[in-house]
Each structure stands twice: as structure tokens, then as C-alpha cells.
Amino acid sequence: DGVPVTIRLLDPPLHEFLPSLEDEEILSALAGELGSSVDELVEQIKGQQEVNPMLGLRGCRLGITKPAVIEMQTRAVIEAALNAIEAGVDAKPDIMVPLVGKVEEFRTQAALIRSVAAKVFEERGKMCEFKVGTMIEIPRAALTSHKIAEEADFFSFGSNDLTQMTFGYSRDDVGTFLPTYLENGILLDDPFVTIDTEVSNREEDGCVGALANNIF
């Protein structure tokens, strides 16, 4: 009540929201709802498969290519905040745009979010405080954060993705070679549980400067 709550927009790859090709019952029911055949639906699902989905159509890239996904989520967040305010709760949502690498990505998404919020405010005849920000989780975003800071209302930091993309290590598979790296002194610690100051200081220089320019 009165404390901002951060809501991160959908981040996982699009294919994770699609039905399994092996679940014939769900495929049949969904095809019926969509007015298409099961074969047509299967082809559509196959068309969404990616070679490297974690670096594919996810985060802000999903929102940019499929704006309706962002419109739906923004409307839900703002409507919920207004409902909470009507119930006596001082709701203040902070909407987070995920996986931004360029300021243009953030700018596009922020404009859409604010336009949807304005539409909801007009429909409801009421307003609420809200912010639009992002998580710094891609090395390029860290290095150009001074530009993103001019557009974003707040920052958060995503150490998992920053570590994965800076080292080129998969968090889920690092166990296959990490013990050998530690044994041979190539790494002194698990990079997913410690801060690599040699690199993080360089990446965060821009972020610290941006934060100093009233990002919070």
C-alpha cells in the first residue's frame, strides 16, 4: 500500500506458451476454438520453433513484433491498479520492459505502454501513478545505459543474463565444465554466484552514471 510494485512483462520465448505437438486432445480443442484444422494449427506451432529460443523471439522482441501481447498485459496491470485504488489500496505499478539492448527498443515499448494506459484512464475516468522502466541484463544495455536512462523511469539489474551473455556460459549447462575450470584456476569462483569485478566495473560505469542522472 503506497509502495511501488514492479511487474515484469512476459519474458520467456513465445513457443513456451504454445501447446505441445504431442497433446492431441488440447490441439483438437484449440483448433476447434480457432476455427482451423489440427493440421493447420500444428504447422503454425512448428513455425514458431527456434534454433536458439533464449536469444530469439522473447522479451521486448516479442512485444515489438506482436504489440497485442504488450497491450493485453498493460491493460491488465493498469486495470488492476485502478481496481485496487477503488478498494482503498494505494497501488503504484512499475512496468518493466525485459531484455532491452537498444534504447530504440525501450522507446517503442514505452510509447505503447503509455498509450494503452492513457486509453484505460480515459475509459475509466480515473488515473494512477505508474512508471515504465527496464532491467539491464544485456551487455549492450549496460554499456549504453546512459541513453536508456534518458527514456526509462527506473532500472533493475539482471545478473543471470548479464553473466550468461558476457561469459557466453549457459547457466543451465555450466556444471559440465565449471569444476574443471575451478580446479585449474581458470575461474576462481562460480560466476553465477559472485561478481566478476574485472568486467562488471566496466559494464556498470555507464549504468552508475545514468543512475546519477535521477533515474530513481
Side-chain angles (χ1 to χ4, degrees), residues 46-60:
K46 288 181 177 179
Q48 298 297 331
Q49 295 178 344
E50 298 175 291
V51 175
N52 191 346
M54 296 312 292
L55 293 178
L57 188 58
R58 59 178 289 230
C60 66

Side-chain angles (χ1 to χ4, degrees), residues 46-133:
K46 288 181 177 179
Q48 298 297 331
Q49 295 178 344
E50 298 175 291
V51 175
N52 191 346
M54 296 312 292
L55 293 178
L57 188 58
R58 59 178 289 230
C60 66
R61 298 185 284 273
L62 175 61
I64 291 170
T65 57
K66 300 184 183 298
V69 175
I70 301 304
E71 294 171 359
M72 168 192 68
Q73 294 175 86
T74 301
R75 175 172 286 275
V77 170
I78 298 300
E79 290 272 14
L82 292 176
N83 291 341
I85 291 172
E86 288 180 356
V89 177
D90 185 11
K92 297 178 179 179
D94 287 355
I95 301 176
M96 177 186 289
V97 180
L99 282 174
V100 166
K102 295 195 67 178
V103 66
E104 290 84 359
E105 291 176 318
F106 179 81
R107 185 180 297 136
T108 298
Q109 294 290 271
L112 178 58
I113 290 168
R114 290 174 177 134
S115 69
V116 172
K119 185 176 181 180
V120 174
F121 294 154
E122 183 178 358
E123 293 171 357
R124 295 283 295 263
K126 297 180 180 179
M127 299 180 66
C128 69
E129 291 182 41
F130 76 97
K131 294 180 180 179
V132 184

Side-chain angles (χ1 to χ4, degrees), residues 131-146:
K131 294 180 180 179
V132 184
T134 187
M135 177 175 281
I136 301 299
E137 51 196 326
I138 293 179
R140 192 184 192 284
L143 296 172
T144 61
S145 58
H146 59 289

Side-chain angles (χ1 to χ4, degrees), residues 94 103 106 114 131-136 144-157 206-216:
D94 287 355
V103 66
F106 179 81
R114 290 174 177 134
K131 294 180 180 179
V132 184
T134 187
M135 177 175 281
I136 301 299
T144 61
S145 58
H146 59 289
K147 293 183 178 180
I148 300 174
E150 295 176 358
E151 310 275 345
D153 296 326
F154 66 91
F155 279 175
S156 291
F157 294 88
C207 296
V208 171
L211 292 171
N213 288 330
N214 76 9
I215 198 66
F216 289 111

